[in-house]
Amino acid sequence: MSIQIKSLLFILLAITVTVVSAFYPADHYLIDCGTTASTTTVDVDHRIFTGDGSSLVLSSTKSVALHDSKPDPNFSPIYHTARVFMKPSHYSFKIKEKGTHLVRIHFHRFDFSNTGSTCHDQFHVSANGYVLLHNFSISKGNPRIKDFMISVDDDDDELVIRFIPVDKSSFAYVNAIEVISAPKDLIPDEYVKHAYETVYRVSVGGVKVTPFNDSLWRNWVPDDEFLKTSDGSLKSYSKFHFGGRIQYRLGGASREVGPDNMYNSARIISSLNDSIPKVNMTWVFPVRKGFSYLVRLHFCDIASLSVGMIYFNVYVNGDLVYENLDLSALTNYMLASPFYADFVVDSEKISDVIRVDIGPSSLSRSHAVDGILNGLEIWKMDNSMKSLDGEVSANQLESKNQSGGQLGRLLSLSGAVCLLAIAFLFMRRKTEAKNSAGWSRVPVDVSEIDLKSNYPKSTVVNV
């Protein structure tokens, strides 16, 4: 066989492997919210979003489509429009493949004065019975992305995302929505029935990884702000970058679990001389109490010169979760082959931070790598009420919205009765004043109530 034919076969094999390993989600919805017609929008990562103006996914009794009159050219076009809801509304997505789905909701607050309302933005968001956001509100500034993973059960053929204004004095809004079926190996089977919110997704020792370089279109931020250092510690550990190829293998982490650009960088502990450094690499992440968290640590030995040389310990919140971790044994003695480990931190063990430590073990060797970490993810897990944001259920969000309107009407009626009583008292005292030398002053510290509205006046926020 000639060299040319062998080369051609190698190229064809490489193409075949690439095609087979590519991720093609069964469900893949990219919705640009706030459009007035069925249009398409290409975001900064060259993905095509479909407009919701004439889309079958949107169900709303009262909404307004807005376009930013002065859009920031630095922001993706999906943030140039928004859909504003005055009443509870929802998007329904037909689901072809049951299981975990990635749900990303994009928010960017621009000038909403065209709504013709003096209400303020405060709202709830739920999805298939899970509370995602409770009493949510953001100020003007950079766009925000809320990243969730929602399980769609066998009994459901839709994923329904609801936007619920807190009361009649508030509104809800959204700029874009992504619903994507997740790869099967993203969440372990024992955890698949939970809902998750991404709290941190970190590329250790590397630069920011953008959605363009991630097959699941995720953002990975650098670890610098979470790394805790002491005097002299940076002499013992440092950043490391790898220019070779990441060796994904069956049974290990896939490219969907973690992208190349995350695994090809790391922080490592290495011997400076014949002695093993007595130092740990430490990262600290503030978290919200009252929830359990799934912590995923990503490892890929891109720094060792040969296999069988790396051993280290792993700690989560001070607990030794891996002793003498041997990456070579876990990766079938392949260098640059990724592996990840998951740990659940129970809510009872959460103070206000999650701490991760990587350090040398009793089996660590001099003149070798004595600790490594490539990436880290922390996901908040839903609580007993199927909520990711407070002790509240999805049904309670609906009832709160309804009771808010009933309460508003009740307060308005009560206010009207009070004004009538005050007017009656004023007329009576005026009549008595004609027949008496004395007089009494009408109270002036009466709350102003707008009888033309269906609810008491609240603090006005210009939008």
Side-chain angles (χ1 to χ4, degrees):
M1 186 180 291
S2 67
I3 296 177
Q4 291 83 355
I5 294 177
K6 287 182 179 179
S7 300
L8 179 60
L9 288 175
F10 178 80
I11 293 172
L12 290 175
L13 178 61
I15 293 173
T16 302
V17 171
T18 302
V19 171
V20 170
S21 63
F23 175 60
Y24 297 101
D27 301 305
H28 192 188
Y29 294 93
L30 304 178
I31 305 299
D32 183 19
C33 305
T35 54
T36 56
S38 182
T39 58
T40 57
T41 303
V42 180
D43 75 344
V44 293
D45 298 307
H46 310 294
R47 295 186 298 162
I48 299 175
F49 282 69
T50 303
D52 72 339
S54 59
S55 174
L56 297 177
V57 300
L58 174 63
S59 177
S60 176
T61 57
K62 188 177 181 182
S63 70
V64 179
L66 296 182
H67 190 279
D68 192 351
S69 59
K70 297 179 180 179
D72 191 323
N74 297 316
F75 296 158
S76 172
I78 63 174
Y79 299 115
H80 296 174
T81 60
R83 177 74 59 181
V84 178
F85 305 104
M86 303 303 178
K87 292 184 178 181
S89 306
H90 67 268
Y91 289 84
S92 298
F93 302 92
K94 294 291 183 182
I95 298 301
K96 300 176 184 177
E97 185 176 76
K98 304 302 172 64
T100 302
H101 282 68
L102 306 175
V103 176
R104 294 194 188 96
I105 308 178
H106 299 256
F107 299 100
H108 173 50
R109 175 71 182 273
F110 52 83
D111 184 7
F112 285 173
S113 59
N114 290 337
T115 60
S117 169
T118 57
C119 300
H120 60 284
D121 62 311
Q122 189 175 19
F123 55 97
H124 318 300
V125 181
S126 66
N128 281 30
Y130 294 100
V131 176
L132 306 185
L133 299 170
H134 179 226
N135 291 336
F136 183 69
S137 178
I138 64 174
S139 57
K140 293 181 180 179
N142 292 328
R144 288 182 61 183
I145 303 174
K146 303 298 286 186
D147 196 307
F148 305 96
M149 288 183 289
I150 307 296
S151 176
V152 179
D153 298 330
D154 293 336
D155 297 333
D156 298 325
D157 59 358
E158 289 184 325
L159 196 154
V160 179
I161 303 175
R162 291 187 59 77
F163 295 85
I164 308 167
V166 170
D167 51 34
K168 287 192 174 182
S169 66
S170 61
F171 62 83
Y173 74 94
V174 61
N175 300 83
I177 300 174
E178 301 177 46
V179 175
I180 304 168
S181 52
K184 297 299 183 183
D185 60 343
L186 187 64
I187 298 294
D189 292 340
E190 59 266 35
Y191 303 134
V192 76
K193 291 300 181 181
H194 283 279
Y196 301 88
E197 178 185 357
T198 301
V199 184
Y200 297 102
R201 186 180 290 122
V202 177
S203 176
V204 176
V207 297
K208 181 178 180 179
V209 180
T210 64
F212 183 75
N213 294 306
D214 186 296
S215 58
L216 294 185
W217 305 281
R218 296 165 294 194
N219 284 295
W220 300 74
V221 301
D223 69 319
D224 301 80
E225 67 176 290
F226 310 109
L227 184 68
K228 300 302 176 183
T229 60
S230 58
D231 293 341
S233 60
L234 287 178
K235 295 180 181 179
S236 299
Y237 62 84
S238 59
K239 295 181 179 180
F240 189 90
H241 297 276
F242 178 63
R245 182 172 180 173
I246 301 300
Q247 303 295 325
Y248 293 97
R249 58 184 176 80
L250 187 64
S254 67
R255 186 170 275 104
E256 282 66 55
V257 169
D260 298 56
N261 284 8
M262 181 269 291
Y263 281 123
N264 64 16
S265 65
R267 286 189 189 270
I268 64 172
I269 298 176
S270 56
S271 303
L272 299 177
N273 45 46
D274 291 336
S275 62
I276 299 171
K278 295 181 179 180
V279 63
N280 284 354
M281 296 186 290
T282 301
W283 296 265
V284 177
F285 303 89
V287 294
R288 183 175 173 181
K289 293 189 292 186
F291 293 90
S292 297
Y293 291 84
L294 179 62
V295 179
R296 173 168 293 178
L297 304 181
H298 295 268
F299 304 98
C300 187
D301 188 1
I302 57 175
S304 293
L305 297 178
S306 63
V307 296
M309 295 291 291
I310 182 170
Y311 300 90
F312 56 94
N313 291 340
V314 179
Y315 308 83
V316 175
N317 273 13
D319 294 328
L320 179 62
V321 294
Y322 254 123
E323 184 175 16
N324 299 321
L325 178 61
D326 180 1
L327 281 185
S328 295
L330 292 171
T331 58
N332 293 333
Y333 293 91
M334 293 176 59
L335 292 177
S337 182
F339 161 81
Y340 69 91
D342 291 331
F343 309 95
V344 173
V345 183
D346 293 332
S347 58
E348 294 80 9
K349 297 182 179 180
I350 296 289
S351 55
D352 54 0
V353 299
I354 290 178
R355 173 175 172 149
V356 174
D357 295 90
I358 305 292
S361 75
S362 59
L363 298 181
S364 294
R365 303 179 181 184
S366 59
H367 303 288
V369 177
D370 301 316
I372 188 170
L373 184 65
N374 305 73
L376 181 147
E377 295 175 87
I378 297 178
W379 295 313
K380 185 197 301 179
M381 304 173 68
D382 68 297
N383 58 22
S384 59
M385 302 188 76
K386 299 181 70 174
S387 173
L388 288 163
D389 195 4
E391 292 292 329
V392 61
S393 68
N395 290 335
Q396 288 174 329
L397 298 185
E398 300 285 353
S399 60
K400 280 184 178 182
N401 177 270
Q402 296 172 3
S403 63
Q406 294 172 356
L407 179 62
R409 290 189 289 272
L410 179 61
L411 291 176
S412 295
L413 179 60
S414 300
V417 171
C418 289
L419 283 182
L420 289 175
I422 292 171
F424 174 78
L425 180 63
F426 174 77
M427 294 301 297
R428 180 177 177 179
R429 289 184 176 178
K430 186 175 181 179
T431 302
E432 292 175 350
K434 293 181 180 180
N435 302 320
S436 173
W439 59 278
S440 69
R441 186 174 180 177
V442 177
V444 296
D445 57 341
V446 179
S447 299
E448 179 185 5
I449 296 181
D450 186 357
L451 295 178
K452 294 181 181 180
S453 65
N454 292 325
Y455 50 89
K457 279 190 175 180
S458 60
T459 304
V460 176
V461 178
N462 294 323
V463 295

